[in-house]
């Protein structure tokens, strides 16, 4: 079965410091991996995705994610955090054997302090 | 439309009443999804439509929940005899199909409170 794990409920980082939000996955076959961000009282916004190709994927708002097949990870990163990055982040994997299913992680709350 | 549109954005209803939540997907998107998100929690898959048919209803939590989609576009999620545990944000998402259909785009959600 496909699954996604976000091991941290919350990540705290100071503004200007690099940030990492962790995600590991379990899939059969090649994974389609996604990151979404949810600001308070809003829907989810697409940030970036990995389908194939370069392991480092760049997305919106200066975020990037690194696909690591051997570690089955897809961690979200940003070199310099902003207070406005504070939000809830979701990792997701698409079930390639069943195109309708997106499996979402439980979410990680990112707090960036000034 | 430019994005996925959901209505109402907020709904307060009395326990036992029926509610209807509407989703208007991005124009041309054939796939449509409903998810539920309890306060500050993750996403719970409810149902998926491809066109007007629903090949996967596995996430609907009880027979009080139903959904339909007409004309391959607008979808309605209906909750009958609402209970307090139904209070949540109901999120709709859509995507195109084919090789480009690998990203889903969400609406702003319908915030349901059952009192």
């Amino acid at each position: 079965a496909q699954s996604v794990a976000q091991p941290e409920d919350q990540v705290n980082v100071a503004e200007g410091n690099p940030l990492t939000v962790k995600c590991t996955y379990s899939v059969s076959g090649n994974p389609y991996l996604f990151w979404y961000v949810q600001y308070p009282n809003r829907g989810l916004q697409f940030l970036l995705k990995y389908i194939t190709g370069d392991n480092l994927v760049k997305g919106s708002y200066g975020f990037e994610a690194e696909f690591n097949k051997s570690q089955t990870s897809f961690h979200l990163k940003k070199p310099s955090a902003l207070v406005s990055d504070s939000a809830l982040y979701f990792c997701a994997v698409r079930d390639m054997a069943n195109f309708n299913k997106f499996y979402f992680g439980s979410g990680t709350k990112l707090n960036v302090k000034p | 439309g430019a994005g996925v549109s959901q209505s109402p954005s907020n709904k307060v209803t009395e326990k036992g009443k029926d509610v209807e939540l509407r989703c208007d997907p991005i124009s041309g998107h054939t796939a449509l999804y409903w998810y539920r998100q309890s306060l500050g929690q993750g996403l719970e898959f409810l149902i998926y439509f491809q066109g007007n048919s629903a090949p996967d209803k596995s996430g609907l939590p009880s027979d009080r929940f139903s959904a339909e989609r007409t004309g391959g576009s607008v979808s309605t999620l209906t909750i009958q005899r609402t209970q307090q545990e139904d209070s949540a944000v109901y999120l709709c998402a859509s995507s195109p199909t084919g090789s480009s259909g690998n990203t889903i785009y969400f609406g702003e959600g319908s915030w349901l409170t059952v009192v």
Side-chain angles (χ1 to χ4, degrees), chain A residues 45-56:
Chain A
Q45 295 180 32
F46 168 72
L47 272 181
L48 51 80
K49 65 184 177 186
Y50 172 82
I51 304 300
T52 187
D54 290 341
N55 289 343
L56 186 63

Side-chain angles (χ1 to χ4, degrees), chain B residues 63-106:
Chain B
D63 58 8
R64 295 187 295 106
F65 287 73
S66 63
E68 65 175 12
R69 188 179 186 194
T70 56
S73 182
V74 172
S75 175
T76 303
L77 177 68
T78 301
I79 309 173
Q80 296 178 309
R81 305 181 302 281
T82 52
Q83 304 295 312
Q84 288 184 329
E85 62 262 28
D86 299 334
S87 296
V89 180
Y90 290 83
L91 293 164
C92 178
S94 71
S95 75
T97 52
S99 60
S100 61
N102 51 32
T103 302
I104 59 174
Y105 298 92
F106 284 84

Side-chain angles (χ1 to χ4, degrees), chain B:
Chain B
V4 178
S5 178
Q6 292 188 245
S7 61
S9 54
N10 282 283
K11 176 73 175 179
V12 179
T13 189
E14 292 181 350
K15 178 181 174 181
K17 301 282 189 183
D18 297 352
V19 296
E20 285 190 351
L21 307 177
R22 176 189 166 107
C23 174
D24 198 345
I26 293 172
S27 178
H29 282 193
T30 55
L32 186 147
Y33 305 75
W34 284 99
Y35 287 85
R36 179 168 72 174
Q37 185 181 26
S38 299
L39 186 62
Q41 301 299 310
L43 276 70
E44 176 187 4
F45 170 81
L46 297 179
I47 189 170
Y48 156 76
F49 287 92
Q50 179 59 45
N52 290 336
S53 65
D56 191 343
K57 305 179 183 179
S58 62
L60 293 177
S62 75
D63 58 8
R64 295 187 295 106
F65 287 73
S66 63
E68 65 175 12
R69 188 179 186 194
T70 56
S73 182
V74 172
S75 175
T76 303
L77 177 68
T78 301
I79 309 173
Q80 296 178 309
R81 305 181 302 281
T82 52
Q83 304 295 312
Q84 288 184 329
E85 62 262 28
D86 299 334
S87 296
V89 180
Y90 290 83
L91 293 164
C92 178
S94 71
S95 75
T97 52
S99 60
S100 61
N102 51 32
T103 302
I104 59 174
Y105 298 92
F106 284 84
E108 294 293 318
S110 289
W111 297 69
L112 175 66
T113 303
V114 181
V115 298

Side-chain angles (χ1 to χ4, degrees), chain A residues 27-94:
Chain A
V27 300
S28 53
N30 295 321
Y32 278 18
L33 296 159
F34 303 80
W35 276 101
Y36 286 82
V37 59
Q38 186 178 35
Y39 296 101
N41 302 319
R42 303 295 301 275
L44 275 71
Q45 295 180 32
F46 168 72
L47 272 181
L48 51 80
K49 65 184 177 186
Y50 172 82
I51 304 300
T52 187
D54 290 341
N55 289 343
L56 186 63
V57 178
K58 294 187 183 297
S60 307
Y61 312 120
F63 284 93
E64 58 190 26
E66 186 170 12
F67 170 65
N68 189 316
K69 188 172 184 177
S70 63
Q71 297 184 5
T72 61
S73 67
F74 189 56
H75 301 332
L76 181 70
K77 300 181 179 183
K78 187 173 182 180
S80 178
L82 300 173
V83 172
S84 58
D85 293 331
S86 298
L88 190 57
Y89 290 81
F90 289 96
C91 183
V93 63
R94 187 165 194 172

